[in-house]
């Protein structure tokens, strides 16, 4: 899971991630309280590098987290939305 670009962002950002082996992949965005705000990916993917576009135009400014789950791998990164 790579850092999103740009960060901070307004209102759109790109989240890039790499999958090492075929697995069910989940990429979700959470607010600072841990409430799920969006599901960007929820499907089986083959090995490779992928990008997911995130549009935060309907969300307020603040810190958000995005979490990638692929098989037994879990990684979380922080991003900042500034309006």
């Amino acid at each position: 899971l790579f850092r999103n670009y740009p960060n901070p962002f307004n209102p759109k950002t790109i989240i890039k991630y790499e999958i090492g082996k075929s697995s069910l992949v989940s990429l979700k965005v959470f607010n600072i309280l841990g409430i799920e705000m969006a599901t960007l990916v929820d499907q089986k993917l083959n090995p490779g590098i992928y990008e997911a576009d995130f549009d935060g135009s309907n969300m307020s400014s603040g810190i958000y987290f995005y979490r990638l789950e692929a098989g037994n791998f879990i990684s979380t990164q922080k991003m900042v939305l500034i309006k």
Side-chain angles (χ1 to χ4, degrees):
L1 182 61
F2 302 103
R3 299 287 302 158
N4 63 303
Y5 181 82
N7 189 23
F9 67 99
N10 177 24
K12 296 181 181 182
T13 190
I14 297 170
I15 300 171
K16 196 172 183 181
Y17 56 98
E18 183 174 2
I19 304 301
K21 62 180 181 178
S22 293
S23 58
L24 181 60
V25 176
S26 170
L27 180 60
K28 297 182 179 185
V29 176
F30 298 87
N31 68 12
I32 195 81
L33 300 174
I35 298 170
E36 184 180 326
M37 304 300 291
T39 298
L40 305 179
V41 178
D42 189 18
Q43 64 186 26
K44 185 173 183 177
L45 295 176
N46 293 320
I49 297 176
Y50 297 88
E51 290 183 353
D53 295 326
F54 177 66
D55 185 348
S57 58
N58 61 343
M59 299 163 65
S60 59
S61 295
I63 297 172
Y64 293 89
F65 298 92
Y66 53 101
R67 182 176 69 197
L68 176 73
E69 295 183 28
N72 294 329
F73 177 81
I74 299 174
S75 181
T76 304
Q77 296 279 354
K78 178 176 75 170
M79 60 183 174
V80 180
L81 172 59
I82 298 178
K83 290 194 171 183

